[in-house]
Amino acid sequence: MDVREKIVVVTGGANGIGRALCLRFTREGARKVVVADLNESLAREVAAEIDGIAIKTDVGQEADLQQLVEHVTSSLGPIDLFCSNAGIILNGGPETLDADWQRIWNVNVMSHVYAARAVLPGMQARGQGYLLQTASAAGLLTQIGSAPYSVTKHAAVGFAEWLSITYASAGIKVSCVCPQGVRTDMLDLAEGGIADHLRETALDPAEVADAVIAGLASETFLILPHPQVAEFFRHKADDYERWLRGMRRLQTKFGANP
Ligand SMILES: NC(=O)c1ccc[n+]([C@@H]2O[C@H](COP(=O)([O-])OP(=O)(O)OC[C@H]3O[C@@H](n4cnc5c(N)ncnc54)[C@H](O)[C@@H]3O)[C@@H](O)[C@H]2O)c1
């Protein structure tokens, strides 16, 4: 896909990776970029920078995503590319409160389900459309220090994979972007030791946007802004036990004691 002249929606577009995507899609000639975010004032700032539109959206609420899609479709036209990018992190294991598990499940997983539910009927009717989901390398590997993030990002990858398989014959394309560390506010919220480790190879959000543009151009399902993630993923598939031993060493070095 070439984003020129396309109508694009980016959730979590007010900050970090989402903001970089909004700026880059605009530079590439998108017809209109919609910045959908919980943080309305920041979303307005980004929209003002790119002559886009800011829409306050909580991606964990289905009604918000339905309204977002209806509003964009009726005011601008069909959505060509929907980037379901908003996500959150919280640290912890099984002791994490149910309410927090539910919150991160809604934002990191159900947001993609709600987005798909809202945009797929129109895309199917037109026989075209593109869904881009931001998951994480943690969805292919794991996130030291955070079970809720690891689990929800695995689920996000699983859902993207399923959509890609199921809707290809309807002309609908799906990509899933799985970065490792990216220099955004989120990286500061990851558990201390592992966050410092991830910072060593962290990318700028603009570099993730570069990888997304290339991945959309080639219509690649798995977009890996850090190429080494492909290697780690291969190691995991080749020898799961060995990969787990390596990850346990990382836990000992960078993780907190449970
Ligand atoms: N930063 C990293 O190291 C990293 C690595 C891999 C994947 N990711 C993923 O990239 C995506 C973007 O993260 P980021 O690093 O840019 O984080 P960020 O915190 O800089 O930005 C996230 C944006 O999402 C918005 N948001 C949060 N909850 C929302 C909700 N319920 N509804 C709508 N908007 C909401 C925030 O207001 C913010 O503008 C996330 O899905 C994240 O999991 C980040």
Side-chain angles (χ1 to χ4, degrees), residues 15 17 37-38 57-59 85 87 134-135 149 153 179-180 182 184:
N15 207 38
I17 296 169
D37 203 288
L38 198 54
T57 310
D58 179 352
V59 297
N85 163 79
T134 308
Y149 193 74
K153 290 299 185 178
Q180 227 172 14
V182 184
T184 70

Side-chain angles (χ1 to χ4, degrees), residues 133-207:
Q133 283 184 201
T134 308
S136 168
L140 303 170
L141 307 167
T142 203
Q143 177 79 18
I144 301 284
S146 177
Y149 193 74
S150 303
V151 169
T152 56
K153 290 299 185 178
H154 272 74
V157 172
F159 184 59
E161 210 174 81
W162 187 90
L163 287 174
S164 169
I165 292 165
T166 309
Y167 285 90
S169 61
I172 294 160
K173 309 279 167 52
V174 182
S175 288
C176 183
V177 53
C178 291
Q180 227 172 14
V182 184
R183 289 182 206 97
T184 70
D185 293 346
M186 182 179 281
L187 193 52
D188 297 331
L189 298 174
E191 204 169 82
I194 198 66
D196 290 342
H197 176 61
L198 290 173
R199 268 188 205 97
E200 287 171 19
T201 54
L203 298 177
D204 284 327
E207 294 176 283

Side-chain angles (χ1 to χ4, degrees), residues 25-109:
F25 291 147
T26 304
R27 227 173 70 206
E28 294 290 323
R31 179 136 58 93
K32 203 50 104 181
V33 176
V34 178
V35 187
D37 203 288
L38 198 54
N39 188 327
E40 197 175 8
S41 58
L42 266 189
R44 284 220 183 98
E45 281 178 30
V46 175
E49 251 183 282
I50 59 172
D51 191 25
I53 294 173
I55 301 182
K56 186 177 180 191
T57 310
D58 179 352
V59 297
Q61 305 285 334
E62 180 165 21
D64 274 29
L65 277 166
Q66 286 287 347
Q67 276 164 26
L68 169 69
V69 170
E70 274 162 32
H71 180 80
V72 174
T73 308
S74 59
S75 56
L76 299 172
I79 297 168
D80 298 294
L81 170 63
F82 191 101
C83 304
S84 187
N85 163 79
I88 56 172
I89 191 167
L90 51 92
N91 297 311
E95 76 290 352
T96 301
L97 297 175
D98 282 6
D100 289 330
W101 274 102
Q102 195 59 58
R103 184 165 58 92
I104 195 169
W105 180 258
N106 287 348
V107 178
N108 288 4
V109 183

